[in-house]
Amino acid sequence: MVINKKEKQFNQIKFSTNVLFNLVFILLSLVCIFPVVFVFSISVSSESALQKYGYRIIPTEFSSAAYQFLWNEKDTILHALWISILVTGLGIVISVLLTTTMGYVLSRVNYKLREFYTWLVFIPMIFNGGMLASYVVNSNILHLRNTIWALILPLAVSSFNVVICKTFFKTTIPDSIIESAKVDGASQLRIFGQIVLPISKPILATIALFAAFGYWNDWFQASLYISDSNLQSLQSMLNNIQSNIEYIANNPYGGLSLQQYKASMPTESVRMAIAIVIIVPIACVYPFFQKYFISGLTIGSVKG
C-alpha cells in the first residue's frame, strides 16, 4: 500500500504539538507522583518538626521513628497484611470467575434470557437497595459478620465489570469458533474453559486488576462487618489508627500501656508510613499487568 505525500502529511504530528503533548503527559505524571512523594516525605519527618513547621515536601528534620514504630508492631502489621493479601487473592479469583462467566453468558445472542439478565445486571449500575438493606442481608440472612467472607463476597461482582466482559466477548470471540466447537460435541463449560478463556487474557487481567484495586484499598466492609481484631485488614487498621489511637494500644502483641503508647507514638508520620506500606505492593504489581489492562479496556471499544 503506497501512501501519497498528502496523506503522509496529514498523518504526521507537528513538532510543536508533540512537545505540547509531552509536556501535558509529564505534568499529569507529576500530579500523580507528587502525592506519593509528599506522603513519604511526611513519613520520614520527625513528629516535633511536623508540629512546628507543618507538612513539608522536603523534611526539615528527618526521622525513622515511624518505621521503627511499625517494626516494633510487626506482629500486628504483618497479621493485618496477611489478611489483606488473603482477601485480595481470594477476591480476585472469585471476582474473575463470576464476572467472566456472567459476561460470557450475556454475550451469547442465542441465550433466551439474555435480555432479562442484561437488565438485571444493568439496574444496579443506576441504583441499589442502600446500605441498610445490604447490611441486613449480609449480616442477618447470610451470616457473614465477623467472617473473612464479609470482606470478599459483597465486592465480588460489579455490574460495570460484567458489561465490560460482555462487550469483550461479543466483539472479540467469533461465533464461528463457538459453533464449530458445538459441532464437535463440546459442552458450553468446555467451550468457555478451553477455548474462550485462553484467548481472553486481556479481559482477565483487566478484571483481575479492577478487583485487586477494589479489595486492596477497601476498608469500609471491615468497618461494617468486622469487630474481631484478628480479621482486620491493613487498610482497616490504618483507618482505625486515624480514628482511634487505642486500637494499637489494645492489640495483644504490645506490652505497653495506653499512656506509654500515646507518649511514644509518632502519630502523623505513622499514618503516612502505613499509607506507604499499603501503596507499595499494588504499585509493584501494576506494571506487570499494564499491557493487558490497557488492551482489555480498548478492545471492543472501537467496534460496533
Side-chain angles (χ1 to χ4, degrees), residues 37-77:
V37 176
F38 192 45
V39 168
F40 178 76
S41 175
I42 298 173
S43 71
V44 295
S45 300
S46 66
E47 196 69 16
S48 59
L50 291 175
Q51 294 176 356
K52 185 176 181 179
Y53 301 105
Y55 296 155
R56 298 287 181 89
I57 186 64
I58 300 178
T60 54
E61 183 180 342
F62 288 90
S63 174
S64 61
Y67 293 96
Q68 290 175 359
F69 182 87
L70 294 183
W71 177 255
N72 293 334
E73 294 295 331
K74 58 182 178 297
D75 292 331
T76 303
I77 301 296

Side-chain angles (χ1 to χ4, degrees), residues 85-137:
I85 294 175
L86 179 63
V87 168
T88 303
L90 290 175
I92 289 174
V93 174
I94 295 174
S95 180
V96 170
L97 180 62
L98 295 178
T99 304
T100 53
T101 50
M102 292 175 65
Y104 174 72
V105 170
L106 295 180
S107 68
R108 298 301 93 196
V109 179
N110 56 354
Y111 180 55
K112 295 181 180 179
L113 298 178
R114 182 174 65 94
E115 185 175 352
F116 170 75
Y117 282 113
T118 298
W119 279 105
L120 202 64
V121 170
F122 177 74
I123 288 175
M125 293 181 64
I126 310 301
F127 58 87
N128 54 48
M131 186 186 303
L132 180 58
S134 300
Y135 182 85
V136 171
V137 170

Side-chain angles (χ1 to χ4, degrees), residues 27 40 53 66 101 133 137 185 192 214 216 219 237 240 263 271-272 304:
L27 180 61
F40 178 76
Y53 301 105
T101 50
V137 170
F192 179 72
W216 186 261
W219 57 268
M237 190 186 70
N240 286 331
R271 293 172 182 173
M272 302 305 174

